[in-house]
Amino acid sequence: MNMLPLLMLALSQPAATPPVPLDATQQRDLSCVAVLAIIASEQERGVESALDYPLLSERGATYAALVGQQIMDDTGRTKEQVRDDILAAVADQQTMAQDAADPDALVRSEMATCLPLLDAAVPPKPKPDLTQCAGMLQLAYEEVHSREGLSKTAQDLKTLAAVLDSRARDQMRAEGLSGQESDILLTQSREAMLADSKQKESLGQGSDLDFDHCFLLAAPEEKQPRNEH
């Protein structure tokens, strides 16, 4: 088959229509995706200033997916193009922070805009209390241990569960409860968490509670977010 006519035909076709330019709202949303991603990364590294904000890893990722899909729907951009837009927005934010006279003030200003947008798009889950978290981490340890044995992850979960159990007991003791009463409440909480987990699993749903908050309650106090959002 003579490929020359086919090649000439291909070259004569008009170039793909460029995507619709981003409007101000879309640019703002991409900037927020970038800001939230940067803060989430800093939180995972234990950067103190980032811990002033609520944990953003899970909700930030969900927000990024929602923004990306909306921009694809509105502009005709491909997933790869939106990914490039997000990377460019991250680079822009990093450059702005480097050039700013007060980088922390810049971040606070950006987060004042972005956190309400995040809350509207991905409402925060209710935060479990110490007793609930002690049960949740114990169940998480048992699940990982049954699957992996005493792996590093299982050991870490076991340690965190023990920390939360101890802090929950200290809180109950301060409230005037006896050791036996604390045992009963912790057992009841663990059983309730297990029953809820099994029900959610049967429905293909995740927990209604903010599991990440439990890691904050188990962390040293100086690494806990100071701004509960």
Side-chain angles (χ1 to χ4, degrees):
M1 178 183 295
N2 189 341
M3 298 297 295
L4 184 56
L6 294 177
L7 178 59
M8 295 302 294
L9 177 63
L11 293 175
S12 69
Q13 296 299 313
T17 303
V20 176
L22 298 175
D23 62 25
T25 298
Q26 292 161 344
Q27 292 175 353
R28 178 205 64 189
D29 292 344
L30 282 176
S31 293
C32 283
V33 167
V35 170
L36 296 173
I38 291 170
I39 296 298
S41 176
E42 292 180 346
Q43 288 176 337
E44 291 175 357
R45 300 198 311 272
V47 177
E48 184 177 358
S49 60
L51 296 175
D52 285 339
Y53 304 105
L55 285 181
L56 297 171
S57 178
E58 181 180 352
R59 293 173 63 220
T62 302
Y63 179 74
L66 292 173
V67 168
Q69 186 61 56
Q70 189 64 53
I71 289 177
M72 284 190 287
D73 292 343
D74 292 344
T75 69
R77 276 171 163 73
T78 65
K79 184 179 296 185
E80 290 73 21
Q81 289 171 323
V82 172
R83 178 202 60 201
D84 291 343
D85 288 335
I86 291 174
L87 292 176
V90 170
D92 287 343
Q93 288 295 327
Q94 291 172 331
T95 299
M96 289 170 57
Q98 291 171 359
D99 295 341
D102 188 344
D104 289 339
L106 174 64
V107 172
R108 287 194 297 271
S109 175
E110 296 283 349
M111 291 296 280
T113 296
C114 296
L115 280 178
L117 295 175
L118 173 67
D119 287 345
V122 190
K125 295 180 179 179
K127 291 179 173 61
D129 58 24
L130 264 175
T131 304
Q132 290 174 313
C133 281
M136 292 169 74
L137 265 295
Q138 179 63 31
L139 292 175
Y141 158 69
E142 292 173 359
E143 179 182 347
V144 172
H145 183 266
S146 66
R147 186 175 63 248
E148 304 176 2
L150 200 57
S151 64
K152 176 65 165 57
T153 301
Q155 292 176 23
D156 290 344
L157 288 171
K158 183 178 182 180
T159 298
L160 293 174
V163 169
L164 288 170
D165 183 271
S166 175
R167 291 181 179 178
R169 291 178 184 278
D170 288 344
Q171 185 179 76
M172 292 178 191
R173 188 179 304 113
E175 294 172 352
L177 298 178
S178 67
Q180 183 178 9
E181 290 170 327
S182 298
D183 287 341
I184 292 173
L185 288 176
L186 286 166
T187 299
Q188 289 176 339
S189 178
R190 188 161 53 248
E191 290 175 347
M193 291 291 108
L194 179 59
D196 182 70
S197 176
K198 288 181 176 179
Q199 181 181 24
K200 293 289 192 305
E201 184 178 353
S202 68
L203 298 173
Q205 301 174 349
S207 174
D208 293 331
L209 297 175
D210 182 1
F211 186 71
D212 284 345
H213 184 64
C214 295
F215 293 101
L216 293 179
L217 292 181
E221 288 188 5
E222 64 270 16
K223 291 196 175 182
Q224 295 183 13
R226 291 177 290 278
N227 177 21
E228 286 293 343
H229 184 72

